[in-house]
Amino acid sequence: MAQVNIRMDDSLKEKADSLFEELGLNMTTAVNIFVRQVIRQGGIPFEITTKIDPFYSESNLRVLRQSIQDADAGRLTEHELIEE
């Protein structure tokens, strides 16, 4: 069996290890899953882009933070769902 050594930022590894643990995986299994998907799909199994998801734009995050503060402070507005 081949052994592969990779380098990554300590913080990135800690976050990945934590997530993989929640999923019942370890780093080796997760990397093997990734490589198998690369082979099956004939490329990276997700889009690689410089585009930033608009959900994470600073203006949207500001609105979300304010909404969370309002909810925590009990300043909620009741709305009625009207289905037609």
Side-chain angles (χ1 to χ4, degrees), residues 3 6-7 11 15 18-19 22 27 30 32 36 38 40 44 52-53 59-62 66 69 72-73 76-79:
Q3 183 173 349
I6 60 172
R7 294 182 187 275
S11 174
K15 290 175 184 174
S18 178
L19 176 64
E22 286 182 41
M27 182 70 74
N32 275 296
R36 288 178 190 275
V38 166
R40 279 192 189 114
I44 304 297
I52 297 173
D53 185 336
S59 61
N60 195 43
L61 290 176
R62 251 192 320 276
Q66 184 61 53
Q69 286 177 357
D72 288 345
L76 300 175
T77 305
E78 188 175 318
H79 295 276

Side-chain angles (χ1 to χ4, degrees), residues 53-68:
D53 185 336
F55 180 83
Y56 296 101
S57 69
E58 188 52 44
S59 61
N60 195 43
L61 290 176
R62 251 192 320 276
V63 170
L64 291 171
R65 285 186 200 107
Q66 184 61 53
S67 296
I68 291 168

Side-chain angles (χ1 to χ4, degrees), residues 8-36:
M8 72 174 61
D9 180 76
D10 291 335
S11 174
L12 180 64
K13 183 182 181 305
E14 287 174 19
K15 290 175 184 174
D17 283 337
S18 178
L19 176 64
F20 296 149
E21 184 177 332
E22 286 182 41
L23 296 171
L25 305 171
N26 59 32
M27 182 70 74
T28 298
T29 304
V31 170
N32 275 296
I33 290 170
F34 171 74
V35 171
R36 288 178 190 275

Side-chain angles (χ1 to χ4, degrees), residues 34 37-38 41-48:
F34 171 74
Q37 284 299 103
V38 166
Q41 295 189 22
I44 304 297
F46 48 83
E47 183 180 7
I48 298 175

